[in-house]
PDB file of all heavy atoms in Angstrom:
ATOM      1  N   GLY A   1     116.649 101.717 116.072  1.00 56.00           N
ATOM      2  CA  GLY A   1     116.904 103.215 116.176  1.00 56.00           C
ATOM      3  C   GLY A   1     116.258 104.030 115.175  1.00 56.00           C
ATOM      4  O   GLY A   1     115.743 103.434 114.129  1.00 56.00           O
ATOM      5  N   GLY A   2     116.219 105.267 115.330  1.00 52.00           N
ATOM      6  CA  GLY A   2     115.655 106.201 114.328  1.00 52.00           C
ATOM      7  C   GLY A   2     115.041 107.400 114.973  1.00 52.00           C
ATOM      8  O   GLY A   2     114.672 107.338 116.136  1.00 52.00           O
ATOM      9  N   SER A   3     114.891 108.469 114.280  1.00 49.00           N
ATOM     10  CA  SER A   3     114.400 109.673 114.876  1.00 49.00           C
ATOM     11  C   SER A   3     113.029 110.108 114.303  1.00 49.00           C
ATOM     12  O   SER A   3     112.424 111.121 114.752  1.00 49.00           O
ATOM     13  CB  SER A   3     115.452 110.723 114.560  1.00 49.00           C
ATOM     14  OG  SER A   3     115.506 111.007 113.267  1.00 49.00           O
ATOM     15  N   GLY A   4     112.559 109.472 113.246  1.00 46.00           N
ATOM     16  CA  GLY A   4     111.399 110.091 112.600  1.00 46.00           C
ATOM     17  C   GLY A   4     111.699 110.893 111.419  1.00 46.00           C
ATOM     18  O   GLY A   4     110.775 111.358 110.791  1.00 46.00           O
ATOM     19  N   LEU A   5     112.955 111.362 111.270  1.00 44.00           N
ATOM     20  CA  LEU A   5     113.391 112.128 110.170  1.00 44.00           C
ATOM     21  C   LEU A   5     113.625 111.208 108.910  1.00 44.00           C
ATOM     22  O   LEU A   5     114.608 110.458 108.917  1.00 44.00           O
ATOM     23  CB  LEU A   5     114.621 112.932 110.379  1.00 44.00           C
ATOM     24  CG  LEU A   5     114.593 113.912 111.560  1.00 44.00           C
ATOM     25  CD1 LEU A   5     115.893 114.560 111.870  1.00 44.00           C
ATOM     26  CD2 LEU A   5     113.452 115.022 111.225  1.00 44.00           C
ATOM     27  N   ALA A   6     112.646 111.151 108.042  1.00 50.00           N
ATOM     28  CA  ALA A   6     112.756 110.128 106.943  1.00 50.00           C
ATOM     29  C   ALA A   6     113.066 110.655 105.700  1.00 50.00           C
ATOM     30  O   ALA A   6     112.684 111.767 105.184  1.00 50.00           O
ATOM     31  CB  ALA A   6     111.441 109.384 106.865  1.00 50.00           C
ATOM     32  N   LEU A   7     113.910 109.916 104.926  1.00 55.00           N
ATOM     33  CA  LEU A   7     114.219 110.201 103.527  1.00 55.00           C
ATOM     34  C   LEU A   7     114.681 111.648 103.386  1.00 55.00           C
ATOM     35  O   LEU A   7     115.708 111.988 103.908  1.00 55.00           O
ATOM     36  CB  LEU A   7     112.968 109.880 102.716  1.00 55.00           C
ATOM     37  CG  LEU A   7     112.485 108.460 102.818  1.00 55.00           C
ATOM     38  CD1 LEU A   7     111.208 108.265 102.187  1.00 55.00           C
ATOM     39  CD2 LEU A   7     113.404 107.447 102.292  1.00 55.00           C
ATOM     40  N   ASN A   8     114.024 112.446 102.541  1.00 60.00           N
ATOM     41  CA  ASN A   8     114.499 113.710 102.262  1.00 60.00           C
ATOM     42  C   ASN A   8     113.799 114.869 103.084  1.00 60.00           C
ATOM     43  O   ASN A   8     113.547 115.891 102.623  1.00 60.00           O
ATOM     44  CB  ASN A   8     114.245 114.173 100.734  1.00 60.00           C
ATOM     45  CG  ASN A   8     112.821 113.925 100.207  1.00 60.00           C
ATOM     46  OD1 ASN A   8     112.084 113.286 101.006  1.00 60.00           O
ATOM     47  ND2 ASN A   8     112.454 114.333  99.020  1.00 60.00           N
ATOM     48  N   ALA A   9     113.482 114.505 104.302  1.00 81.00           N
ATOM     49  CA  ALA A   9     112.771 115.477 105.171  1.00 81.00           C
ATOM     50  C   ALA A   9     113.618 116.669 105.442  1.00 81.00           C
ATOM     51  O   ALA A   9     113.116 117.772 105.578  1.00 81.00           O
ATOM     52  CB  ALA A   9     112.451 114.725 106.458  1.00 81.00           C
ATOM     53  N   ASP A  10     114.989 116.453 105.498  1.00 83.00           N
ATOM     54  CA  ASP A  10     115.773 117.630 105.717  1.00 83.00           C
ATOM     55  C   ASP A  10     115.728 118.673 104.588  1.00 83.00           C
ATOM     56  O   ASP A  10     115.837 119.800 104.738  1.00 83.00           O
ATOM     57  CB  ASP A  10     117.301 117.195 106.029  1.00 83.00           C
ATOM     58  CG  ASP A  10     117.446 116.493 107.362  1.00 83.00           C
ATOM     59  OD1 ASP A  10     116.571 116.692 108.238  1.00 83.00           O
ATOM     60  OD2 ASP A  10     118.391 115.723 107.451  1.00 83.00           O
ATOM     61  N   VAL A  11     115.631 118.027 103.367  1.00 85.00           N
ATOM     62  CA  VAL A  11     115.608 118.823 102.191  1.00 85.00           C
ATOM     63  C   VAL A  11     114.252 119.671 102.193  1.00 85.00           C
ATOM     64  O   VAL A  11     114.182 120.851 101.816  1.00 85.00           O
ATOM     65  CB  VAL A  11     115.734 117.982 100.890  1.00 85.00           C
ATOM     66  CG1 VAL A  11     115.435 118.859  99.649  1.00 85.00           C
ATOM     67  CG2 VAL A  11     116.967 117.318 100.777  1.00 85.00           C
ATOM     68  N   LEU A  12     113.192 118.917 102.522  1.00 92.00           N
ATOM     69  CA  LEU A  12     111.873 119.642 102.652  1.00 92.00           C
ATOM     70  C   LEU A  12     111.964 120.768 103.716  1.00 92.00           C
ATOM     71  O   LEU A  12     111.299 121.770 103.496  1.00 92.00           O
ATOM     72  CB  LEU A  12     110.791 118.690 102.899  1.00 92.00           C
ATOM     73  CG  LEU A  12     109.284 119.326 102.989  1.00 92.00           C
ATOM     74  CD1 LEU A  12     108.933 119.841 101.651  1.00 92.00           C
ATOM     75  CD2 LEU A  12     108.290 118.197 103.393  1.00 92.00           C
ATOM     76  N   ALA A  13     112.582 120.406 104.875  1.00 94.00           N
ATOM     77  CA  ALA A  13     112.797 121.471 105.848  1.00 94.00           C
ATOM     78  C   ALA A  13     113.462 122.702 105.377  1.00 94.00           C
ATOM     79  O   ALA A  13     113.049 123.829 105.570  1.00 94.00           O
ATOM     80  CB  ALA A  13     113.488 120.903 107.080  1.00 94.00           C
ATOM     81  N   ALA A  14     114.428 122.638 104.565  1.00 94.00           N
ATOM     82  CA  ALA A  14     115.114 123.709 103.971  1.00 94.00           C
ATOM     83  C   ALA A  14     114.322 124.424 103.039  1.00 94.00           C
ATOM     84  O   ALA A  14     114.319 125.751 102.935  1.00 94.00           O
ATOM     85  CB  ALA A  14     116.435 123.264 103.309  1.00 94.00           C
ATOM     86  N   ASP A  15     113.455 123.707 102.267  1.00 95.00           N
ATOM     87  CA  ASP A  15     112.493 124.304 101.333  1.00 95.00           C
ATOM     88  C   ASP A  15     111.423 125.117 102.077  1.00 95.00           C
ATOM     89  O   ASP A  15     111.114 126.256 101.715  1.00 95.00           O
ATOM     90  CB  ASP A  15     111.742 123.246 100.488  1.00 95.00           C
ATOM     91  CG  ASP A  15     112.728 122.677  99.469  1.00 95.00           C
ATOM     92  OD1 ASP A  15     113.817 123.151  99.190  1.00 95.00           O
ATOM     93  OD2 ASP A  15     112.332 121.525  98.931  1.00 95.00           O
ATOM     94  N   ALA A  16     110.968 124.492 103.227  1.00 96.00           N
ATOM     95  CA  ALA A  16     109.890 125.211 104.059  1.00 96.00           C
ATOM     96  C   ALA A  16     110.464 126.417 104.756  1.00 96.00           C
ATOM     97  O   ALA A  16     109.752 127.453 104.877  1.00 96.00           O
ATOM     98  CB  ALA A  16     109.361 124.235 105.014  1.00 96.00           C
ATOM     99  N   ASP A  17     111.736 126.465 105.020  1.00 97.00           N
ATOM    100  CA  ASP A  17     112.394 127.535 105.672  1.00 97.00           C
ATOM    101  C   ASP A  17     112.490 128.687 104.705  1.00 97.00           C
ATOM    102  O   ASP A  17     112.288 129.859 105.039  1.00 97.00           O
ATOM    103  CB  ASP A  17     113.851 127.063 106.076  1.00 97.00           C
ATOM    104  CG  ASP A  17     114.370 127.986 107.237  1.00 97.00           C
ATOM    105  OD1 ASP A  17     113.551 128.348 108.160  1.00 97.00           O
ATOM    106  OD2 ASP A  17     115.562 128.326 107.142  1.00 97.00           O
ATOM    107  N   ARG A  18     112.739 128.412 103.448  1.00 96.00           N
ATOM    108  CA  ARG A  18     112.779 129.522 102.445  1.00 96.00           C
ATOM    109  C   ARG A  18     111.461 129.997 102.029  1.00 96.00           C
ATOM    110  O   ARG A  18     111.320 131.139 101.677  1.00 96.00           O
ATOM    111  CB  ARG A  18     113.576 128.988 101.252  1.00 96.00           C
ATOM    112  CG  ARG A  18     115.092 128.714 101.371  1.00 96.00           C
ATOM    113  CD  ARG A  18     115.806 128.450 100.070  1.00 96.00           C
ATOM    114  NE  ARG A  18     115.303 127.231  99.538  1.00 96.00           N
ATOM    115  CZ  ARG A  18     115.931 126.014  99.686  1.00 96.00           C
ATOM    116  NH1 ARG A  18     116.958 125.957 100.463  1.00 96.00           N
ATOM    117  NH2 ARG A  18     115.370 124.963  99.100  1.00 96.00           N
ATOM    118  N   ASP A  19     110.492 129.070 102.052  1.00 97.00           N
ATOM    119  CA  ASP A  19     109.095 129.349 101.498  1.00 97.00           C
ATOM    120  C   ASP A  19     108.057 128.865 102.454  1.00 97.00           C
ATOM    121  O   ASP A  19     107.385 127.809 102.139  1.00 97.00           O
ATOM    122  CB  ASP A  19     109.018 128.777 100.131  1.00 97.00           C
ATOM    123  CG  ASP A  19     107.714 129.123  99.429  1.00 97.00           C
ATOM    124  OD1 ASP A  19     106.987 130.045  99.968  1.00 97.00           O
ATOM    125  OD2 ASP A  19     107.313 128.545  98.405  1.00 97.00           O
ATOM    126  N   PRO A  20     107.875 129.424 103.691  1.00 97.00           N
ATOM    127  CA  PRO A  20     106.876 128.805 104.581  1.00 97.00           C
ATOM    128  C   PRO A  20     105.483 128.939 104.043  1.00 97.00           C
ATOM    129  O   PRO A  20     104.703 128.157 104.357  1.00 97.00           O
ATOM    130  CB  PRO A  20     107.091 129.692 105.853  1.00 97.00           C
ATOM    131  CG  PRO A  20     107.904 130.922 105.350  1.00 97.00           C
ATOM    132  CD  PRO A  20     108.631 130.506 104.251  1.00 97.00           C
ATOM    133  N   GLU A  21     105.178 129.903 103.261  1.00 98.00           N
ATOM    134  CA  GLU A  21     103.841 130.184 102.763  1.00 98.00           C
ATOM    135  C   GLU A  21     103.556 129.013 101.687  1.00 98.00           C
ATOM    136  O   GLU A  21     102.400 128.360 101.711  1.00 98.00           O
ATOM    137  CB  GLU A  21     103.623 131.474 102.114  1.00 98.00           C
ATOM    138  CG  GLU A  21     103.560 132.535 103.139  1.00 98.00           C
ATOM    139  CD  GLU A  21     103.294 133.922 102.380  1.00 98.00           C
ATOM    140  OE1 GLU A  21     103.124 133.954 101.066  1.00 98.00           O
ATOM    141  OE2 GLU A  21     103.164 134.947 103.131  1.00 98.00           O
ATOM    142  N   GLY A  22     104.529 128.658 100.880  1.00 98.00           N
ATOM    143  CA  GLY A  22     104.382 127.584  99.964  1.00 98.00           C
ATOM    144  C   GLY A  22     104.185 126.222 100.652  1.00 98.00           C
ATOM    145  O   GLY A  22     103.532 125.332 100.242  1.00 98.00           O
ATOM    146  N   PHE A  23     104.944 126.039 101.820  1.00 98.00           N
ATOM    147  CA  PHE A  23     104.802 124.789 102.556  1.00 98.00           C
ATOM    148  C   PHE A  23     103.428 124.721 103.189  1.00 98.00           C
ATOM    149  O   PHE A  23     102.828 123.709 103.102  1.00 98.00           O
ATOM    150  CB  PHE A  23     105.907 124.755 103.701  1.00 98.00           C
ATOM    151  CG  PHE A  23     105.727 123.665 104.657  1.00 98.00           C
ATOM    152  CD1 PHE A  23     105.859 122.360 104.311  1.00 98.00           C
ATOM    153  CD2 PHE A  23     105.368 124.068 105.967  1.00 98.00           C
ATOM    154  CE1 PHE A  23     105.696 121.311 105.187  1.00 98.00           C
ATOM    155  CE2 PHE A  23     105.141 122.992 106.904  1.00 98.00           C
ATOM    156  CZ  PHE A  23     105.322 121.654 106.520  1.00 98.00           C
ATOM    157  N   GLN A  24     102.974 125.787 103.651  1.00 98.00           N
ATOM    158  CA  GLN A  24     101.577 125.766 104.255  1.00 98.00           C
ATOM    159  C   GLN A  24     100.544 125.431 103.183  1.00 98.00           C
ATOM    160  O   GLN A  24      99.621 124.646 103.344  1.00 98.00           O
ATOM    161  CB  GLN A  24     101.302 126.926 104.972  1.00 98.00           C
ATOM    162  CG  GLN A  24     102.171 127.349 106.200  1.00 98.00           C
ATOM    163  CD  GLN A  24     101.817 128.574 106.897  1.00 98.00           C
ATOM    164  OE1 GLN A  24     100.781 128.717 107.508  1.00 98.00           O
ATOM    165  NE2 GLN A  24     102.719 129.586 106.736  1.00 98.00           N
ATOM    166  N   ARG A  25     100.693 126.141 102.020  1.00 97.00           N
ATOM    167  CA  ARG A  25      99.744 125.935 100.922  1.00 97.00           C
ATOM    168  C   ARG A  25      99.758 124.454 100.457  1.00 97.00           C
ATOM    169  O   ARG A  25      98.680 123.909 100.219  1.00 97.00           O
ATOM    170  CB  ARG A  25     100.072 126.866  99.897  1.00 97.00           C
ATOM    171  CG  ARG A  25      99.122 126.770  98.585  1.00 97.00           C
ATOM    172  CD  ARG A  25      99.564 127.830  97.591  1.00 97.00           C
ATOM    173  NE  ARG A  25     100.933 127.654  97.078  1.00 97.00           N
ATOM    174  CZ  ARG A  25     101.823 128.555  97.341  1.00 97.00           C
ATOM    175  NH1 ARG A  25     101.668 129.563  98.147  1.00 97.00           N
ATOM    176  NH2 ARG A  25     103.000 128.291  96.838  1.00 97.00           N
ATOM    177  N   ALA A  26     100.897 123.915 100.313  1.00 97.00           N
ATOM    178  CA  ALA A  26     101.010 122.500  99.860  1.00 97.00           C
ATOM    179  C   ALA A  26     100.344 121.479 100.918  1.00 97.00           C
ATOM    180  O   ALA A  26      99.676 120.607 100.574  1.00 97.00           O
ATOM    181  CB  ALA A  26     102.533 122.046  99.757  1.00 97.00           C
ATOM    182  N   CYS A  27     100.555 121.797 102.201  1.00 98.00           N
ATOM    183  CA  CYS A  27      99.913 120.940 103.126  1.00 98.00           C
ATOM    184  C   CYS A  27      98.432 121.030 103.103  1.00 98.00           C
ATOM    185  O   CYS A  27      97.749 119.995 103.174  1.00 98.00           O
ATOM    186  CB  CYS A  27     100.447 121.314 104.628  1.00 98.00           C
ATOM    187  SG  CYS A  27     102.176 120.875 104.896  1.00 98.00           S
ATOM    188  N   LEU A  28      97.856 122.189 102.865  1.00 97.00           N
ATOM    189  CA  LEU A  28      96.500 122.407 102.837  1.00 97.00           C
ATOM    190  C   LEU A  28      95.954 121.705 101.647  1.00 97.00           C
ATOM    191  O   LEU A  28      94.829 121.180 101.620  1.00 97.00           O
ATOM    192  CB  LEU A  28      96.181 123.886 102.875  1.00 97.00           C
ATOM    193  CG  LEU A  28      96.431 124.641 104.100  1.00 97.00           C
ATOM    194  CD1 LEU A  28      96.214 126.157 103.875  1.00 97.00           C
ATOM    195  CD2 LEU A  28      95.559 124.104 105.281  1.00 97.00           C
ATOM    196  N   VAL A  29      96.619 121.676 100.382  1.00 96.00           N
ATOM    197  CA  VAL A  29      96.172 121.013  99.248  1.00 96.00           C
ATOM    198  C   VAL A  29      96.040 119.578  99.490  1.00 96.00           C
ATOM    199  O   VAL A  29      95.069 118.976  99.011  1.00 96.00           O
ATOM    200  CB  VAL A  29      97.112 121.302  98.078  1.00 96.00           C
ATOM    201  CG1 VAL A  29      96.867 120.314  96.886  1.00 96.00           C
ATOM    202  CG2 VAL A  29      97.092 122.762  97.571  1.00 96.00           C
ATOM    203  N   LEU A  30      96.855 119.012 100.361  1.00 96.00           N
ATOM    204  CA  LEU A  30      96.815 117.577 100.644  1.00 96.00           C
ATOM    205  C   LEU A  30      95.994 117.259 101.707  1.00 96.00           C
ATOM    206  O   LEU A  30      95.972 116.134 102.382  1.00 96.00           O
ATOM    207  CB  LEU A  30      98.221 117.005 100.868  1.00 96.00           C
ATOM    208  CG  LEU A  30      99.246 117.157  99.760  1.00 96.00           C
ATOM    209  CD1 LEU A  30     100.393 116.414 100.147  1.00 96.00           C
ATOM    210  CD2 LEU A  30      98.621 116.659  98.461  1.00 96.00           C
ATOM    211  N   GLY A  31      95.080 118.227 102.212  1.00 96.00           N
ATOM    212  CA  GLY A  31      94.028 117.869 103.146  1.00 96.00           C
ATOM    213  C   GLY A  31      94.477 118.229 104.533  1.00 96.00           C
ATOM    214  O   GLY A  31      93.825 117.789 105.584  1.00 96.00           O
ATOM    215  N   GLY A  32      95.689 118.784 104.798  1.00 97.00           N
ATOM    216  CA  GLY A  32      96.345 119.061 106.085  1.00 97.00           C
ATOM    217  C   GLY A  32      95.484 120.129 106.814  1.00 97.00           C
ATOM    218  O   GLY A  32      94.888 121.002 106.188  1.00 97.00           O
ATOM    219  N   THR A  33      95.560 119.973 108.147  1.00 98.00           N
ATOM    220  CA  THR A  33      94.982 121.129 108.953  1.00 98.00           C
ATOM    221  C   THR A  33      96.007 121.504 109.952  1.00 98.00           C
ATOM    222  O   THR A  33      96.851 120.661 110.490  1.00 98.00           O
ATOM    223  CB  THR A  33      93.720 120.498 109.731  1.00 98.00           C
ATOM    224  OG1 THR A  33      93.974 119.304 110.455  1.00 98.00           O
ATOM    225  CG2 THR A  33      92.607 120.275 108.753  1.00 98.00           C
ATOM    226  N   ARG A  34      95.986 122.848 110.394  1.00 97.00           N
ATOM    227  CA  ARG A  34      97.065 123.315 111.301  1.00 97.00           C
ATOM    228  C   ARG A  34      96.900 122.566 112.575  1.00 97.00           C
ATOM    229  O   ARG A  34      95.846 122.280 113.143  1.00 97.00           O
ATOM    230  CB  ARG A  34      96.872 124.804 111.405  1.00 97.00           C
ATOM    231  CG  ARG A  34      97.355 125.582 110.307  1.00 97.00           C
ATOM    232  CD  ARG A  34      98.891 125.503 110.107  1.00 97.00           C
ATOM    233  NE  ARG A  34      99.556 125.917 111.305  1.00 97.00           N
ATOM    234  CZ  ARG A  34     100.074 127.104 111.521  1.00 97.00           C
ATOM    235  NH1 ARG A  34      99.848 128.112 110.636  1.00 97.00           N
ATOM    236  NH2 ARG A  34     100.797 127.347 112.595  1.00 97.00           N
TER     237      ARG A  34
END
């Protein structure tokens, strides 16, 4: 069983909800693409 929500993903979701620009910037720093 499992949903793919791993470890502190819920905490990161709350952080991204408060700061979506910071979340996007962090993903881009790590080589992410939209």
Side-chain angles (χ1 to χ4, degrees):
S3 65
L5 299 177
L7 304 171
N8 55 348
D10 290 339
V11 176
L12 183 64
D15 292 343
D17 202 41
R18 289 189 296 267
D19 183 13
E21 291 185 359
F23 170 65
Q24 293 180 74
R25 183 174 60 251
C27 288
L28 293 173
V29 167
L30 299 187
T33 55
R34 283 297 302 270

